Amino acid sequence: MLCPSAEDLVRYVSGEAGADDAARVEVHLVGCPTCAETVAALRETWAALDAWQLDASGVDLTERVLMAVEAEEAAPRRHRWRWPALTRLAASVAIAAGLGIGAGRLVSQSAAPDRETAMADGVRDEIVHTLTSAYAATDSATGLALRFEPASRKEGR
Amino acid sequence: MPDSEPNNPHVPNDASLMARLRDGDHAALGELVRRHQRRVLDIAVRTLRDHTLAEDIAQEAFLRVWRSAADYVPSARFTTWLYRIVVNLCLDARRKRRALLAETPDQPDPQQYTAEAAMHHADRAAVIRTALDGLPERQRVAVLLHKYSGLSMREIAGTTGWTESAVESLLVRAYATLRQKLEGLDS
Ligand SMILES: [Zn+2]
């Protein structure tokens, strides 16, 4: 009997296989220890990944977004964009470099979930600044900055 | 994770909210934010691993939705388009962060922290984050969208612009690597 493809087994475990495909896989698994083992391992991995849970339920961005929209509408077209996070830009990258060590130590002691990145505000703000500025630069030309090429091209397969 | 767009015919769908937004109705944007922010934040936090930055990125994503409303053509699902904006912003932010951290030598590589945290704390979530961090970027993005955002392979292809067969092989390889890295980790 021909074995299902590796991606079909992933589809089966993730639950995105259709009912017919899932039934076919199940029949196959009964007679194929190799695929049965692959599926068991996939299931284990799939379940293990559940241990990384996030809790973002307390966050509501609605006010922030609407305020930013109003601010942008009120601003002259040229100077559009500013937003609340940028008020923190006062912290420079130089200061960030100094803070980085302390923040890192703090992290390795407490292992604060999802904050291991240990990034000082200056660095964070610089990132945000770049992204919003880049958008402002391409805004009128294309309307959208939706290209996905940089990630895929750089890394290849 | 179920889709957050309602099926109830009395509740406006995403496309009609976008139409209202195009006509200047800010309340429609508020509704889109309320409806989709949890999943947008989930993608951003998991990709960037920094809540503050993730919130800034999520805000920027919704601002772009608003700015683009006039040009929006409902050819694809709204969420596919929205997630594409979010993923794109997150990857740009990661690249920018790498570049900035490289410029300031006192800032250690974030990856070292995750490895260190994992070793010191034997924390299952930290082990998972470390394993995911070790994946090549496209594999990691594919897994985050597949496993945690609940997107199908086809939806991931629509979101990223990669072919469906590319997404398939990224996921097969990613799960095989994760299997090795997570072996023995009780779930
Ligand atoms: Zn088989």
Side-chain angles (χ1 to χ4, degrees):
Chain A
M1 201 178 351
L2 199 64
C3 292
S5 66
E7 52 268 25
D8 282 342
L9 294 181
V10 170
R11 278 200 177 85
Y12 171 69
V13 169
S14 70
E16 63 187 289
D20 288 354
D21 288 339
R24 257 194 299 277
V25 170
E26 261 152 36
V27 169
H28 178 81
L29 292 181
V30 176
C32 180
T34 311
C35 287
E37 197 190 311
T38 305
V39 164
L42 271 171
R43 280 219 171 94
E44 211 171 289
T45 304
W46 187 260
L49 289 169
D50 284 332
W52 182 22
Q53 293 295 332
L54 296 182
D55 183 20
S57 52
V59 179
D60 189 354
L61 299 173
T62 316
E63 274 307 297
R64 274 180 68 166
V65 171
L66 293 180
M67 275 170 60
V69 163
E70 276 161 31
E72 193 166 310
E73 276 184 340
R77 187 69 187 76
R78 273 272 138 209
H79 304 286
R80 257 189 184 201
W81 74 277
R82 306 305 102 152
W83 72 4
L86 262 292
T87 56
R88 280 186 274 118
L89 193 57
S92 71
V93 177
I95 293 170
L99 290 176
I101 298 163
R105 202 179 298 123
L106 183 83
V107 162
S108 58
Q109 276 165 13
S110 66
D114 303 313
R115 289 303 298 266
E116 308 89 333
T117 313
M119 197 171 29
D121 281 351
V123 173
R124 190 180 293 122
D125 289 340
E126 181 66 24
I127 294 168
V128 172
H129 175 83
T130 308
L131 293 181
T132 52
S133 306
Y135 182 84
T138 58
D139 184 13
S140 53
T142 65
L144 271 182
L146 284 181
R147 284 168 301 103
F148 215 80
E149 287 88 344
S152 42
R153 294 239 175 106
K154 247 185 215 158
E155 195 166 62
R157 291 279 307 271
Chain B
M1 225 184 283
D3 189 31
S4 24
E5 184 175 8
N7 279 325
N8 184 335
H10 300 291
V11 180
N13 62 21
D14 292 337
S16 65
L17 287 171
M18 281 304 284
R20 278 168 48 191
L21 184 56
R22 190 184 50 221
D23 297 336
D25 179 359
H26 287 184
L29 180 62
E31 178 55 29
L32 286 168
V33 174
R34 268 188 294 277
R35 198 174 275 185
H36 298 291
Q37 62 180 341
R38 213 169 66 80
R39 295 184 71 174
V40 164
L41 276 168
D42 193 88
I43 292 170
V45 170
R46 289 188 195 274
T47 308
L48 298 166
R49 312 278 298 285
D50 179 290
H51 283 274
T52 308
L53 180 59
E55 287 176 24
D56 286 348
I57 293 297
Q59 172 177 330
E60 176 65 15
F62 284 114
L63 275 177
R64 290 187 186 197
V65 166
W66 166 67
R67 293 189 195 116
S68 315
D71 305 319
Y72 176 72
V73 183
S75 52
R77 282 165 67 92
F78 171 77
T79 47
T80 302
W81 181 64
L82 174 64
Y83 297 161
R84 181 179 276 222
I85 296 173
V86 175
V87 171
N88 218 6
L89 279 169
C90 288
L91 293 184
D92 281 349
R94 280 181 68 100
R95 268 188 292 278
K96 182 66 187 168
R97 177 168 63 192
R98 269 197 300 273
L100 282 170
L101 295 183
E103 276 169 23
T104 53
D106 282 348
Q107 290 254 335
D109 181 2
Q111 214 151 304
Q112 285 175 4
Y113 282 109
T114 57
E116 194 183 341
M119 277 189 296
H120 285 176
H121 299 276
D123 168 354
R124 282 191 295 148
V127 173
I128 290 165
R129 291 192 292 267
T130 306
L132 289 167
D133 276 349
L135 295 175
E137 183 165 84
R138 299 214 299 167
Q139 289 186 31
R140 194 185 56 246
V141 167
V143 169
L144 293 181
L145 293 175
H146 190 241
K147 169 64 192 170
Y148 296 108
S149 299
L151 301 194
S152 69
M153 295 185 190
R154 174 169 305 194
E155 288 168 326
I156 295 168
T159 296
T160 56
W162 306 331
T163 64
E164 195 173 341
S165 68
V167 172
E168 284 174 349
S169 80
L170 288 169
L171 286 172
V172 166
R173 280 179 287 152
Y175 286 124
T177 304
L178 290 172
R179 175 195 177 179
Q180 291 177 335
K181 297 223 178 131
L182 301 180
E183 205 143 51
L185 188 72
D186 295 332
S187 52

